[in-house]
Amino acid sequence: MSSTSHVTEDQRSQLAESGYTVLDQVLDHDVVARVLEEIEPHFGLNGWGRNDFEGLRTERVYAMLAKCPSVAALVEHPAVLELLDDHLRPSRVLAACQGTRIHPSETAQTLHCDDDLPGVARPRPPWSVSVMWALSPYTAANGSTLFVPGSHRWDSPRQPTEQETISVELAPGSALVWLGGIYHGAGPNTSDEVRTGVSIIYFQPWLRQVENMVLVVGPDKAAQFSPTMQRLLGYGVIDGNFFGHVDGRDPIKLIPSTLEKQE
Ligand SMILES: O=C(O)CCC(=O)C(=O)O
């Protein structure tokens, strides 16, 4: 590691070659404790995930930066930013930041790629980089993330199998960093303990509108337009009610009187 670098050459090459790497125990205990203290009251408020992908025995705290500001230390952690530099353009954007708590008896999440949604042929350079911060121990028994090493280089037709996965265990304060094209998913929780962490996704800067329409036309002003127009502005979600959500909900619900105007 050079005197100015927060990551090793091995970590950089593992991320590029295998598609994932680990930053072992890089957070101070008091940072972990602060984030846990801020997030704890939000668990238990929203209930379980609404489908198998969100996890029927998993709790998620969306809009985390608005609820738990200390998570900013994780989002802008210097080691993570350095790894992002290798794969995303400097003006990358934060795409998601959520707390996750996987409870006992949760089943394995479907193996997926984080940047596969537009259905463009693979392999290709990553459109996203994801980071999972462990706030509790992540073990194979309680659902540590499963990866198919090297699968970010696969072509489009090839699909992963469970037999190809490895489970990456983490100590609290560690981060697991992966490229958008790697097949992965949360493992099953066969233990009697919860697995708690923060999941963050960064996107290439061009995965966004040219004009930031929902700021140009805020919810009050958007109320004068038709539902078609509101959706064009960006008050909507795609892909299973997910991309574009605000705190887990369709942003069109933020527009006053929207319900009367729904098509
Ligand atoms: O929780 C994990 O270990 C991975 C989660 C994940 O990949 C997702 O929710 O998309």
Side-chain angles (χ1 to χ4, degrees):
M1 195 187 307
S2 83
S3 59
T4 54
S5 180
H6 296 88
V7 291
T8 64
E9 277 312 311
D10 282 353
Q11 287 167 323
R12 297 172 79 145
S13 61
Q14 189 188 22
L15 182 58
E17 301 305 320
S18 302
Y20 72 97
T21 196
V22 172
L23 302 169
D24 189 34
Q25 300 177 73
V26 291
L27 287 185
D28 288 341
H29 293 301
D30 60 330
V31 176
V32 174
R34 207 170 324 125
V35 177
L36 272 173
E37 189 185 324
E38 286 183 358
I39 199 174
E40 203 55 56
H42 298 281
F43 282 123
L45 293 182
N46 297 324
W48 303 120
R50 294 159 288 189
N51 52 51
D52 213 34
F53 192 82
E54 269 189 326
L56 299 172
R57 293 286 299 165
T58 296
E59 292 183 85
R60 292 180 189 259
V61 176
Y62 293 117
M64 206 180 157
L65 274 152
K67 299 170 182 171
C68 314
S70 64
V71 79
L74 283 53
V75 175
E76 59 182 356
H77 192 283
V80 169
L81 297 184
E82 228 175 291
L83 290 172
L84 295 185
D85 285 341
D86 287 350
H87 300 279
L88 301 180
R89 286 170 49 178
S91 46
R92 62 248 165 167
V93 290
L94 182 63
C97 179
Q98 59 177 270
T100 63
R101 175 165 279 172
I102 294 185
H103 287 254
S105 83
E106 178 61 282
T107 54
Q109 192 182 35
T110 305
L111 296 172
H112 61 282
C113 306
D114 288 338
D115 67 3
D116 213 19
L117 281 139
V120 177
R122 299 156 48 96
R124 51 174 168 68
W127 294 356
S128 72
V129 174
S130 300
V131 182
M132 172 63 77
W133 287 97
L135 300 180
S136 71
Y138 275 41
T139 65
N142 74 13
S144 60
T145 314
L146 301 173
F147 283 95
V148 181
S151 54
H152 60 304
R153 297 190 189 282
W154 292 1
D155 62 11
S156 292
R158 186 164 171 192
Q159 291 298 311
T161 62
E162 198 186 317
Q163 292 68 37
E164 292 170 291
T165 60
I166 57 158
S167 180
V168 182
E169 301 195 319
L170 300 173
S174 305
L176 182 50
V177 183
W178 67 88
L179 302 182
I182 192 171
Y183 282 101
H184 69 281
N189 189 342
T190 56
S191 75
D192 55 6
E193 62 196 22
V194 295
R195 191 210 81 174
T196 303
V198 175
S199 160
I200 299 173
I201 306 180
Y202 307 83
F203 272 179
Q204 290 283 21
W206 37 261
L207 274 169
R208 58 184 309 185
Q209 291 164 299
V210 176
E211 286 191 68
N212 195 325
M213 294 297 178
V214 296
L215 284 180
V216 171
V217 185
D220 290 340
K221 284 192 178 162
Q224 67 187 302
F225 295 124
S226 69
T228 301
M229 189 62 214
Q230 291 166 349
R231 297 279 183 207
L232 282 171
L233 288 169
Y235 290 92
V237 285
I238 60 165
D239 294 310
N241 287 349
F242 199 64
F243 267 50
H245 75 79
V246 177
D247 202 1
R249 300 171 70 222
D250 186 334
I252 206 151
K253 295 187 175 140
L254 298 175
I255 299 176
S257 312
T258 275
L259 289 179
E260 298 98 80
K261 291 187 182 173
Q262 293 284 332
E263 279 173 332

